[in-house]
Amino acid sequence: MAGQGDSSATALRGSAPEVFMAFLKLGLTSFGGPIAHLGYFREEIVIRRRWLSEAAYADLVALCQFLPGPASSQVGFALGMMRAGWAGALAAFLAFTLPSAVILLVFALTAAAIAGPVGGGALAGLKIVAVAIVAQAVWGMARNLCPDRARAAIAVGAVAVLAFMPGAVGMVAAIGLGGLAGLALGRGAGTTGGGHLAMPVSRGVALGALSVFGAALILLPLVAGHHQALAVIDAFYRAGALVFGGGHVVLPLLEAETVAPGWVSPDAFLAGYGAAQAVPGPLFTFAAYLGAVLGPAPNGIAGAALALLAIFLPGFLLLVGVLPFWDRFRALAPAQSAMQGANAAVVGILAAALHSPVFTGAIGDGRDFALALACFVLLVSWKAPPWAVVILAAAGGVALAFLG
C-alpha cells in the first residue's frame, strides 16, 4: 500500500491556477490523439512536475482506458483533482479543451465563407484525409484489441449488426453483444495490485454521480422531443456515454446523431472531422464544430458550448462514480472479459464507419483514392504527424481542384 501513501502525500498540494497553466501548455501542444496525449501527460506531470508516482499514473490510465469516454481528458480531469481538488479538475478540463475547441469553432463559423477552387479544394482534402486517419485508427485498434480469432470474429459480427441495423441502436446492440461474447469467452484476468489512487471523492458522491449518469441516459431521450436544445444535449450526451476504445470511435456515434437526422450535412461533417485532426487537444472537441454548424438552433457559439459540455459530461460522471470502487472492480475477471468483447465490437463499429460515411462521402474517383492512400502511407509507414498530413491533404485537394 505504499503507492497509496505516496499519492496521498502529493494530493491537494497545488492550486487551480497552477493546474490551469500546466494543462494549457498541454492543450496547446498535445498533437497525435489520446495515446500520444497520455505520453505528453506522463512527461509533463509525472516526470517533470512529479505530481504523482509512476504507479499512481499507471493505475489512473488503466481506469480511464477501461471506462467509456475520452480517456485522455478523463486522465487530465483526475490529475487536476489529485492536485487541487474539484477546482483543479475543472481547471485541467478547461485548459486542455479550450484551445482546440476555439480553433474548431472559428473554423465552423468561417468555413461557409470559403469558396472557389482553393477553398473548395481544401475542404475536399480535409474529407479525403479523414479516410486515411480513420483507416489508421481501425488498423491500430484491430492489432491491439482483436489479437486473436475470437475477437476478430466479434469485430466482424459488429459490422454485420450495423449492416442490418444502422444507426445508434445498432451500435448499442453491437457493443452489448460484443460484451456478452467476451463474457462467454472468459479470457479476462482480474488484477490484484492497486491502492495507488487517492482522490477526494467519497462513496456518496460517487454513487450520486453514477445516479446522475444513468438518469440522464434514460430521461434525456424522453424529453428530447420537447425542445431542440434538449435534443442536442441528448444526442451529444449519448455519443459521449457510448465511446469505448478511443477518441476516433466517437465518429460513427456523432454521425448517427447529427448527420442521420439532417442537422449537419455529410460534407460539413467530414470536413470538420478532417480539420479536427490538425489541432492539438482532445478529439472530442469536434463536438464544438458540430454544435456550431447545426442546421436548427441552437447553433453558433451557443450550440458549440452545449454540445461540448454534453459530450464530456458522461465520461466525467462515470470517472467520478467509479474512482472509490476501482480497485475492487478491476479484480473481477468477468468484468475484464466483457470489456475485451466490447472493445472488439468497437473495432467493427469504426470499420463500418470507415466504409460509410467516411469513404463513400470523400472518395469520388481514382485521384481522390490516390491522395487518401498517400496520406495513409505517410501516417502508418512514415510516422508523419497527423497535423502535417492534414495540411498536405488540404494542399492536395487544392491541386486536384485546379487540375479539374
Side-chain angles (χ1 to χ4, degrees):
M1 300 294 287
Q4 186 174 5
D6 294 344
S7 181
S8 300
T10 59
L12 306 184
R13 286 193 169 185
S15 65
E18 175 196 24
V19 171
F20 186 89
M21 294 308 298
F23 278 90
L24 182 61
K25 174 185 175 183
L26 290 165
L28 291 168
T29 59
S30 296
F31 291 90
I35 300 302
H37 297 166
L38 296 176
Y40 288 116
F41 287 1
R42 177 183 175 275
E43 182 64 29
E44 179 68 20
I45 303 301
V46 179
I47 304 302
R48 198 175 80 80
R49 295 178 181 265
R50 299 185 181 277
W51 286 2
L52 74 166
S53 67
E54 286 272 18
Y57 184 69
D59 264 13
L60 183 58
V61 169
L63 167 59
C64 295
Q65 289 184 323
F66 183 87
L67 293 174
S72 60
S73 294
Q74 288 169 312
V75 169
F77 185 89
L79 288 171
M81 181 181 290
M82 293 177 74
R83 186 64 178 174
W86 291 98
L90 179 62
F93 164 65
L94 291 175
F96 186 58
T97 305
L98 283 178
S100 58
V102 170
I103 295 170
L104 290 174
L105 173 60
V106 171
F107 176 72
L109 297 177
T110 58
I114 299 175
V118 174
L123 291 177
L126 290 177
K127 292 192 294 180
I128 290 170
V129 77
V131 176
I133 289 169
V134 177
Q136 181 198 28
V138 172
W139 176 261
M141 290 175 65
R143 294 175 64 185
N144 291 326
L145 301 178
C146 303
D148 51 51
R149 289 179 293 181
R151 278 177 278 183
I154 292 174
V156 174
V159 175
V161 169
L162 288 171
F164 291 96
M165 193 189 302
V169 174
M171 294 177 202
V172 173
I175 291 173
L177 291 172
L180 291 174
L183 195 60
L185 290 172
R187 296 184 177 180
T191 58
T192 56
H196 297 299
L197 295 180
M199 294 284 185
V201 178
S202 67
R203 294 196 170 201
V205 170
L207 292 174
L210 291 176
S211 299
V212 171
F213 169 82
L217 201 59
I218 295 170
L219 296 178
L220 279 173
L222 301 179
V223 301
H226 295 290
H227 195 281
Q228 179 61 22
L230 292 173
V232 171
I233 294 172
D234 172 48
F236 284 90
Y237 184 91
R238 187 164 53 249
L242 297 176
V243 175
F244 289 87
H248 290 285
V249 181
V250 80
L251 171 71
L253 295 166
L254 288 178
E255 190 270 340
E257 300 292 350
T258 61
V259 177
W263 295 352
V264 178
S265 71
D267 285 350
F269 183 88
L270 289 178
Y273 184 73
Q277 314 306 316
V279 299
L283 186 58
F284 266 45
T285 54
F286 178 38
Y289 168 88
L290 292 174
V293 301
L294 290 175
N299 46 32
I301 296 175
L306 204 61
L308 204 62
L309 292 175
I311 199 170
F312 276 103
L313 180 60
F316 292 153
L317 287 173
L318 278 175
L319 174 64
V320 171
V322 170
L323 276 171
F325 312 105
W326 171 237
D327 281 339
R328 179 176 296 180
F329 182 74
R330 68 177 182 161
L332 301 175
Q336 300 289 341
S337 297
M339 282 304 303
Q340 286 181 5
N343 284 335
V346 161
V347 176
I349 291 173
L350 194 56
L354 174 61
H355 169 253
S356 177
V358 178
F359 190 93
T360 57
I363 305 302
D365 55 29
R367 296 181 304 174
D368 293 342
F369 180 71
L371 179 56
L373 186 60
C375 292
F376 178 77
V377 170
L378 285 172
L379 288 167
V380 174
S381 299
W382 289 51
K383 308 299 181 185
W387 61 266
V389 178
V390 169
I391 293 172
L392 288 172
V398 172
L400 291 178
F402 278 105
L403 290 173

